């Protein structure tokens, strides 16, 4: 190759990312204990069931100011009782930090909650782009019957605050009512 011209160490095909230092994280139902409303339905399910997998490129160490990460999440279809499979959800530890999510495949809902516990949701479909503002917690539910694939990009110094959601949850839940998703 010509001097000074190199190939990027990363790839992005639309629904996969790859390359140097690719990280993979897996969450089973066991990792989602306490987030679903129907505890009896949760207890009756196989805790080894895969809920989602996150693949990410994190070029700089966590906490680096000015850096950016990119990830793709593969969220399985399914429900615990009437509640769709969903990500744990988080605020950012650095409360001013923002994030983009975008829909790649399948159908879902991005559930958002501000610090006053006001909850709303944006429909996630292939091509939908979602800007998550500062101080807004975010979680994604799969409302379809195929794997929901969505991509995300967030600052390397955003951090994940899971504790607040673990303690207080979201103020509304996305349930299937008469065959349709409803925030209740
Ligand atoms: C997106 C990004 C990641 C996040 C992942 C799963 O890919 O926001 O930072 O880890 O979704 O969401 P959660 O961490 O809430 O389980
Ligand atoms: Zn985030």
């Amino acid at each position: 190759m010509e001097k000074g011209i190199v190939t990027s160490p990363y790839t992005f095909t639309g629904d996969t990312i790859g390359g140097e230092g690719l990280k993979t994280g897996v969450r089973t139902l066991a990792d989602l204990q306490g987030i679903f409303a129907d505890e009896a339905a949760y207890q009756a399910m196989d805790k080894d069931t895969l809920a989602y997998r996150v693949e990410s490129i994190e070029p700089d160490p966590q906490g680096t100011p000015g850096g950016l990460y990119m990830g793709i999440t593969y969220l399985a279809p399914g429900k615990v009782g009437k509640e769709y499979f969903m990500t744990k959800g988080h605020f950012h530890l650095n409360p001013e930090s923002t994030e983009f999510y975008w829909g790649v495949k399948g159908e879902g809902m991005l559930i958002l909650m501000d610090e006053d516990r006001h909850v709303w949701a944006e429909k996630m479909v292939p091509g939908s782009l979602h800007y998550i503002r500062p101080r807004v917690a975010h979680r994604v539910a799969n409302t379809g019957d195929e794997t929901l694939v969505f991509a995300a990009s967030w600052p390397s110094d955003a951090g994940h605050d899971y504790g607040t959601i673990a303690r207080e949850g979201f103020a509304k839940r996305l349930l299937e009512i008469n065959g349709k998703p409803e925030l209740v």
Side-chain angles (χ1 to χ4, degrees), residues 17-29:
I17 51 171
E20 206 172 274
L22 182 74
K23 278 182 57 174
T24 301
V26 162
R27 304 258 197 216
T28 62
L29 282 185

Side-chain angles (χ1 to χ4, degrees), residues 27 52 54 71-73 87-90 99 101 138 150 152 154 160 162:
R27 304 258 197 216
Y52 57 99
V54 182
I72 301 192
T73 301
T87 59
K88 282 179 84 153
H90 57 271
E99 185 164 3
Y101 275 12
H138 36 290
F150 70 92
W154 66 101
H160 295 87
Y162 293 112

